[in-house]
Structure formats: structure tokens, C-alpha cells
């Protein structure tokens, strides 16, 4: 099955918004074994959109449109595409009811109502995170057309929950994918380690980079999910064997999800003391629903005085070694355990940049400590001459802290060679 | 001048890489007043690429190609595009010398040398951050074709340093844009308020949604930047007049940047006590470089015990009104001021979901307090029947807290009708 994507929106052509939708949809299509041959962006212009849609439905089996389903007058994807496909728009009452419910009103403006008008006979994908529903229908040419809302926060769940199951029904084969997540080794060295495994046709193996980490996607095609799954397993085992304990999960998407799961399973609580990450680690842990059972508190101690007051870091340590030192990280973690009464405490201190670096303590130098009240481990992140952003340094430091907790909880050496 | 972009690379169609190049190029084109009408992605396939290039050079004045200039066999942009444009490739000795110099070698493989073969008679853009040079030349159709390397770290400086000056020489007009940022009123109602202003041709006005907020872009075209800027100002003033104090900035991109700026300007410090946002507010403030001069500490008090221990919220308040109540939010903010010695303290408590909601206290109910030690203001976020994600509720609560601080610091009523 050959597919293409058309993203609609002048903002994408003005460079105000990066087109994430294409990458999100492309990944899912790849997971389904659907060949994506083209993707295009068209502005909010009826003639150009019409031309792009006509070309697409004449040459592809599947056309996915993203964006332009909203309430404003420049949202014209639906009207234009339906016309190209020879379909009328009709009011879909359940979608209107959802919109009324969303605004908690009995009546909405005609602009808002417009979102509930959908191509006749289409399959409707409800929007659990916004107002504009998605839909799927067939053009007279036989091309299946799917329309999805533009905001990634609405598109992503709709895609995963409704569109992927819809497309799976149309496929002759079942595709099963597993993601092997790796922290502590980058995409390039991992790909090199696994080079000879990447020529396979079924199952296939493909490397993906993720901010500060990477994952390997194993995909197999078969007649049943069980069969496809069984085909993936030996390859997953071989990846684990070669990459070792840098593999942190199969299919658990983030370090924070894994850590919350492990803490729950082991009945442990964690508390975080953060300097340069400024709350990011606490934020990532509490991103996980249900984290309240394993996380009571965190302290963002940006100033030295705050490190003394909240965590009892000694003034002598701060003066002798500096706020950015293994000694301070250690005392922060230990102070956090005492302060919170939690089983584990993390301390992070470093220089996130862009300013504040020196020759001795450059931007990107960060110390991370983990204490269980009895023992404390400290690891270091070095900039290695790379010119990375503040955001990058902060994200990677929080990830490394989570990986240390993961290692502790699974009985691995906590101080890995990162 | 009408332009289009073609990005080349199968990795973009597999969703392994987000297409940043298009946004980077699009922004520069927009700044130059060049209309970008289409952008497309094509995989590493000669026939499909040839078709896309033929279509582009027949309908556009300017075609920018990104990616596929490198040494490997799937890098075929240059060969294919030059053939479409009726040009031969010839060796460009200075480019070869740069490549030899880059590798510090006297000879390189034919793959590496391939990068120095460029269309005859082209303008060469040297690559200061990699090996593949870019270039510009004219197709027989009259379309100007520019080819740029794919990695954003190579493309961005080449674009800014060589391509923009090259294109400016060809442009008659200058374009200036300003973004008017709004918190507290959504894109749809704001667009309605400004509906009659959106028909203008020069300056133009366009609405954009942003997570939990929106902004209006004002753009003018003139012979000088000063002239274009002067054309924008009356429209910006009219937007401010109609939208009122929900306008929080012109061209300051985020609430956190603005708040850090205002705190610095007024010599004030802020501290944050967070329950449901779990560190996100502290994280957003410390995202801003230099925030350490206005932010000493934050407390993430997820558990009731933590609210008592760190912020001295009274047990009676927690028992009588519950952790999610205006009373608790108030005591958190006041406790944070006392604990930190900062001028301002924020307290946030609520139910971020997806679980934990009740009929009385549904998911999305969040109280936000701001205290200056003398007075304390409390606002509320209600879910209004909207089914938004945990991430959304947390993000919007942090934004509302920042907006309250902004209102306090600029002398506006703190408790707006959000």
C-alpha cells in the first residue's frame, strides 16, 4: 500500500511551526508496513490544496491529511478534500454533541459547528483532546482519505487509538513492532554494534534517535499477532545481549515511566533535589499518572542559601568545593533523603549554560548523586567539547538521574560508564 | 517571487527524523518576503525526485532543495536536479581543496570527491560546518535552484551567511513581522474580535494557536525595515486596544521569558510551591537563561505531609478544605514567601488527572495563589467539561500562575476573568 501525507497550514510555510505531524504519522505508517512515498505541505489556499489532493488521490492508495479542520475561516481542508473526492459534507450529530459538551454550552457559533460537518458515509474518529473530529472515507478513485487535526496533542492520540486500528483492519498482514529503549549509548555506536542485524527483511530493525538516548525498532509481519511477535523475540534478545544493561526497556517509552513502575513494584519512594535542572526531574516524574504513590516531594534549590536551608548542605562544602561539585551533589541527595523520609534521594547540580561556564567548570558539567540513606553514588556529565543547548544539558542530566535510579532498583551497578 | 522547497531523504518519510530544514528555510524566506507556496519531501528515489523537480521548476521562481548532497550512494539530489535543469556537473577545485583540508588528507575517496562536483556556472556556498557545499544556479525555465546540505547544523549557518545575502540582492522589498502574544483568551474569540482587521493586504494579520494561549502575527512589506515597522505599529495598537490587558507582549515569545525580565527589571524574586504541576512551573522559569538572579528556590509538595513540613500549610486547612482548595493554595503561596524570603510566592494545587477526580472536584480543577507577603490572590481553573490531557492541565496552570505574576508586576488586577 502506497501512501502520502499532505499537511495543510500557512503557518508551516512561514516556518512558525515545525511540521511534527508528518514525522508522527510517518512513524506509524512505517510500523504498519505502509510505504510513504511523498509528503507535502500546502498553505491555506483552496486552488493549491485542490491541485495537491487531486494529484495524491490519482496516484496513491492512502492519503493522510493533517491540519485545517478547525473552526476558523482559513480551515478549509475538509470542504476542499471532500469536493475533490466527490463527497458532500453532512452534519454528524454525535460530533456536534461532543463539541457542545466540550464548551459546556447548549449552542455554539456556526464556526464551531462547522467542525461537526463531515463527508457523507465516513468513519468518524472522535477527538479526545479537542473539538475537531477526524475521519476516513473513500474517494471515487478508490484512494482512502484520512483527515486528522493539526495540533500534535490532538493528532497523536487519535492516530494511536483510532486510526492505527482502522488501518490494521485493511491490511492483509499483521505488523507487530517492539521498541528496545537504550540509555547511555548513542544511536551511531549502537547502530554499529548491530550493523549486521539491520539487513533483515522480516523482521526488520531500524535505529531511532531520541533526545539524549536512542531506541531500536524491531518489526515483523505475519498472519497473526502471535506469530509476528514470536518472530521479533530472538532479535530483541540479540540486541539485549550485545548492548547489555544500557537497554532499559522493551516498549516502556520513557525512563520516568519505567522508574515510577519500578518504584511502585518495589514499594519505594523517591525525592529529588535539583539545582541546574530547576524542577525538570520532578516534572518528568510527575508527568506519569499515579506517580503520587512513589513521589512525595522535591526541592528546587537554585541558590546556595536554599541548598543550606532546605537540604542542610554544609556551607563549608559549598565554599570549599563549590556548588557544582560531586561533594555538593552528594550532600544534596543525602539531605533530600533526610528531609523527605523517602527511601531514595537524588541531587543534581551543574552548569546548564549558556553562560556561567569557566575553563575548570565548563557549560555542560553536571554532577548527579543518588542516595539510599546508607550509600551514595555520584556520576558526572561532561560536555566533551559539544556545543549543546541549555535544554539539552538539563534534559540529559534528568535522564541520567532516572537511569541511576533504574539501575539501583534493578540491582545493576549504579555508576555506569555513561 | 514564488518559492517551493523539496527536502530529499527516505529517513524523513520513515519518521526517523523531523523535517526541521523546511521550517528553517521557510522562516528565512518569510523574512525576505518570498512567498513559499509548497514544500514537499521525496525519498532517495531518482524517478520520484525527477518528477518533483520537473513540476517545481515549471511552476515556481525559486526552488530550494535540502539534503542528499553528501558522499553516500543514496545522495542523489545534485545529479538528478542538474539533469532536470539541463546542466552538467563539473569539478569545483576550491570545494575539493576544502574537503581535503577538512579530512587533513592529500587524497579522498571518489565518494567524498563527488561532493565537489557542482552544476556548471553555479554560485557556490561554502560549507563552514561540514563537507558538502551548497550552490545556486538557473534552470533553462528561468527558475533559480538552490541546493543546501540536509543537517540543520550545516544548513542553518550556510543559509544565514551566504544564501540570505544572495537572495536579498534579488529582492525589491523588505518584510517585517511582529507577534502579539495573548494569554487568557483563546484563538477563536480573539480572531472574532479582530475579524475585520484580517482582510488587510499590507500589513497582514493572522491568528496562531499556541498551547493554552494564542498570538497574532502582524506583517508589513516596504522598501526599508523602518517603513515596514511603522506600518505594523497602528495595527498592533488596535489589537492591544481591543484585546486589552490579555495582551502580554509584543515579540517576547513566552510568559516565562517575560516574567523573568519583569522580575529583573523590578528587582524582585519569586519562589514556587507546586503540587499538581510537580515542578513544571519552576522548570519553565529556569528554562530562561539568567533566571538564577530572580529565582532562589521552589518546593514540589506532592504529599500533604510535604505541604505541612516545607510550607507550614496547617493540618486543619488540609483536613477541613482538602489539599485541592483555595485555602490550601493560599497557605502554600504564603508559606513559600516565608520559607524562601522571596518577594513573591506562588502556590498551585489541583487535580491534573487522568484519575483522582470526583463530582465535586473534577479533573482539571486547579487553584493558583500568588502572595507578596501582605496580600494573597487566588484564581481557579475549571475543566468546563473539556477532556484535556494531564499535560494540558499542568501546562495551563503554570501559564496562569505566570500570568498572575505578570499582572502583579505590571500593576494590573491580579485576579483576571480567565
Amino acid at each position: 500500500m502506497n501512501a502520502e501525507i499532505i499537511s495543510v497550514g500557512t503557518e508551516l510555510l512561514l516556518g512558525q511551526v515545525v511540521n511534527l505531524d508528518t514525522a508522527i504519522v510517518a512513524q506509524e505508517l512505517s510500523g504498519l508496513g505502509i510505504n510513504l512515498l511523498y509528503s507535502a505541505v500546502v498553505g491555506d489556499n483552496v486552488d493549491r490544496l485542490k491541485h495537491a489532493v487531486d494529484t495524491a488521490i490519482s496516484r496513491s492508495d492512502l492519503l493522510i491529511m493533517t491540519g485545517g479542520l478547525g473552526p476558523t475561516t482559513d480551515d478549509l481542508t475538509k470542504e476542499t478534500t471532500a469536493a475533490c473526492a466527490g463527497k458532500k459534507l453532512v452534519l454528524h450529530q454525535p460530533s456536534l454533541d461532543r463539541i457542545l459538551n466540550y464548551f459546556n454550552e447548549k449552542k455554539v457559533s456556526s464556526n464551531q459547528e462547522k467542525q461537526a460537518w463531515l463527508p457523507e458515509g465516513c468513519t468518524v474518529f472522535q477527538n479526545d483532546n479537542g473539538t475537531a473530529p477526524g475521519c476516513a472515507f473513500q474517494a471515487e478513485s478508490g484512494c482512502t482519505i484520512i483527515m486528522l487535526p493539526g495540533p500534535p496533542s490532538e493528532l497523536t492520540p487519535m492516530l494511536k487509538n483510532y486510526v492505527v486500528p482502522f488501518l490494521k483492519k485493511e491490511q492483509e498482514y499483521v505488523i507487530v513492532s517492539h521498541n528496545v529503549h537504550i540509555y547511555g549509548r548513542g544511536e551511531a555506536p549502537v547502530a554499529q554494534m548491530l550493523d549486521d542485524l539491520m539487513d533483515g527483511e522480516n523482521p526488520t530493525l531500524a535505529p531511532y534517535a531520541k533526545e539524549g538516548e536512542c531506541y531500536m525498532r524491531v518489526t515483523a509481519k505475519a498472519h497473526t499477532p502471535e506469530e509476528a511477535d514470536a518472530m521479533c523475540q530472538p532479535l530483541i534478545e540479540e540486541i539485549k545481549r550485545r548492548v547489555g544493561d544500557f537497554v532499559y526497556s522493551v516498549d516502556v517509552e520513557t525512563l520516568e515511566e519505567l522508574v515510577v513502575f519500578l518504584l511502585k513494584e518495589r514499594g519505594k519512594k523517591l525525592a529529588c533535589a535539583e539545582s541546574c535542572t530547576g524542577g525538570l526531574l520532578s516534572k518528568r516524574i510527575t508527568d506519569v499518572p499515579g506517580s503520587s504513590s512513589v513521589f512525595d516531594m522535591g526541592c528546587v534549590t537554585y541558590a546556595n542559601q536554599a541548598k543550606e536551608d532546605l537540604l542542610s548542605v554544609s556551607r563549608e562544602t559549598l565554599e570549599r568545593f563549590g556548588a557544582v561539585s560531586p561533594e555538593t551533589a552528594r550532600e544534596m541527595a543525602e539531605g533530600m533523603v533526610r528531609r523527605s523520609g523517602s527511601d531514595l534521594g537524588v541531587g543534581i547540580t551543574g552548569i546548564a549554560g549558556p553562560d556561567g561556564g569557566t575553563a575548570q567548570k565548563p557549560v555542560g558539567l553536571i554532577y548527579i548523586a543518588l542516595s539510599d540513606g546508607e550509600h551514595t553514588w555520584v556520576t558526572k556529565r561532561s560536555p566533551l567539547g559539544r556545543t549543546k543547548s541549555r535544554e539539552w544539558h538539563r534534559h540529559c542530566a534528568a535522564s541520567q538521574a532516572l537511569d541511576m535510579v533504574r539501575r539501583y532498583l534493578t540491582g545493576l551497578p549504579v555508576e555506569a560508564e555513561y
Side-chain angles (χ1 to χ4, degrees), chain A:
Chain A
M1 189 186 258
N2 289 339
E4 63 188 282
I5 301 175
I6 298 177
S7 300
V8 186
T10 299
E11 71 279 14
L12 295 166
L13 292 178
L14 291 171
Q16 289 163 338
V17 179
V18 173
N19 188 357
L20 293 174
D21 289 352
T22 297
I24 298 166
V25 173
Q27 268 200 33
E28 293 296 339
L29 293 180
S30 156
L32 288 165
I34 296 171
N35 301 318
L36 179 62
L37 297 190
Y38 301 94
S39 85
V41 176
V42 182
D44 304 316
N45 174 292
V46 173
D47 290 338
R48 285 194 285 275
L49 183 57
K50 193 174 169 323
H51 179 73
V53 171
D54 281 339
T55 306
I57 60 184
S58 70
R59 70 183 173 192
S60 292
D61 308 310
L62 173 66
L63 166 62
I64 297 195
M65 320 270 308
T66 72
L69 304 183
T72 63
T73 46
D74 60 3
D75 289 314
L76 35 80
T77 300
K78 229 166 29 188
E79 294 75 357
T80 311
T81 309
C84 292
K87 296 279 176 190
K88 275 192 307 191
L89 295 181
V90 294
L91 179 67
H92 183 246
Q93 190 60 42
S95 290
L96 182 57
D97 293 342
R98 288 185 70 86
I99 293 168
L100 293 168
N101 184 46
Y102 183 93
F103 290 107
N104 203 15
E105 300 279 358
K106 292 229 161 53
K107 210 172 143 25
V108 287
S109 67
S110 60
N111 271 358
Q112 294 291 354
E113 188 190 302
K114 176 164 94 87
Q115 300 173 94
W117 286 74
L118 297 169
E120 49 185 343
C122 70
T123 302
V124 180
F125 305 123
Q126 71 181 45
N127 189 335
D128 295 328
N129 299 279
T131 51
C135 65
F137 61 102
Q138 229 176 19
E140 281 162 0
S141 70
C143 175
T144 300
I145 301 175
I146 293 180
M147 297 197 279
L148 301 173
S153 62
E154 301 177 22
L155 175 138
T156 309
M158 187 183 289
L159 190 66
K160 289 190 199 280
N161 298 334
Y162 305 118
V163 180
V164 169
F166 172 86
L167 287 171
K168 271 191 179 158
K169 274 189 289 179
E170 308 224 326
Q171 291 288 94
E172 190 184 345
Y173 287 97
V174 184
I175 302 273
V176 170
S177 279
H178 294 288
N179 293 334
V180 182
H181 293 269
I182 294 161
Y183 182 83
R185 288 293 176 268
E187 185 193 3
V190 170
Q192 211 155 12
M193 266 185 248
L194 305 175
D195 195 30
D196 57 304
L197 303 177
M198 280 193 271
D199 297 332
E201 295 233 322
N202 189 21
T204 60
L205 179 63
Y208 294 87
K210 214 169 120 181
E211 200 171 25
E213 40 184 287
C214 69
Y215 62 98
M216 304 296 302
R217 180 173 246 197
V218 178
T219 305
K221 189 191 270 198
H223 286 285
T224 67
E226 295 71 26
E227 207 185 316
D229 195 69
M231 289 165 71
C232 292
Q233 293 313 318
L235 190 48
I236 292 172
E237 289 310 314
E238 183 60 18
I239 296 168
K240 285 185 184 170
R241 201 185 62 76
R242 296 197 193 178
V243 180
D245 61 23
F246 296 105
V247 171
Y248 70 79
S249 87
V250 177
D251 297 334
V252 179
E253 292 284 313
T254 64
L255 279 163
E256 48 268 35
E257 265 178 273
L258 179 72
V259 161
V260 168
F261 170 82
L262 292 172
L263 286 165
K264 275 188 189 171
E265 198 184 57
R266 281 140 178 91
K268 301 266 188 203
K269 288 197 176 188
L270 173 68
C272 308
E274 303 183 64
S275 189
C276 63
T277 47
L280 173 60
L281 177 58
S282 293
K283 182 257 175 199
R284 284 177 60 182
I285 293 169
T286 60
D287 277 341
V288 183
S291 48
S292 59
S293 66
V294 299
F295 182 84
D296 283 347
M297 69 160 81
C299 291
V300 182
T301 54
Y302 227 46
N304 278 357
Q305 192 62 49
K307 294 181 183 74
E308 291 182 46
D309 290 352
L310 287 172
L311 304 169
S312 310
V313 174
S314 80
R315 182 161 303 181
E316 201 206 322
T317 300
L318 289 167
E319 281 171 2
R320 193 163 150 209
F321 304 106
V324 178
S325 63
E327 292 80 3
T328 298
R330 170 183 293 273
E331 288 190 27
M332 286 171 69
E334 291 169 354
M336 196 69 239
V337 170
R338 283 194 305 273
R339 159 67 76 180
S340 64
S342 296
D343 305 284
L344 297 172
V346 166
I348 305 180
T349 181
I351 298 160
D355 306 313
T358 63
Q360 283 73 42
K361 298 190 175 178
V363 168
L365 175 69
I366 302 176
Y367 294 98
I368 303 150
L370 172 66
S371 176
D372 65 1
E374 276 188 41
H375 290 92
T376 303
W377 299 263
V378 184
T379 67
K380 181 181 165 179
R381 284 190 63 80
S382 297
L384 285 173
R386 294 172 220 170
T387 49
K388 293 287 191 179
S389 68
R390 179 177 176 86
E391 193 189 344
W392 172 270
H393 290 306
R394 281 157 50 101
H395 182 85
C396 293
S399 296
Q400 189 157 314
L402 289 166
D403 194 57
M404 288 170 72
V405 177
R406 188 257 315 179
R407 290 176 161 273
Y408 177 90
L409 292 171
T410 53
L412 293 168
V414 176
E415 293 167 347
E417 272 190 34
Y418 287 116

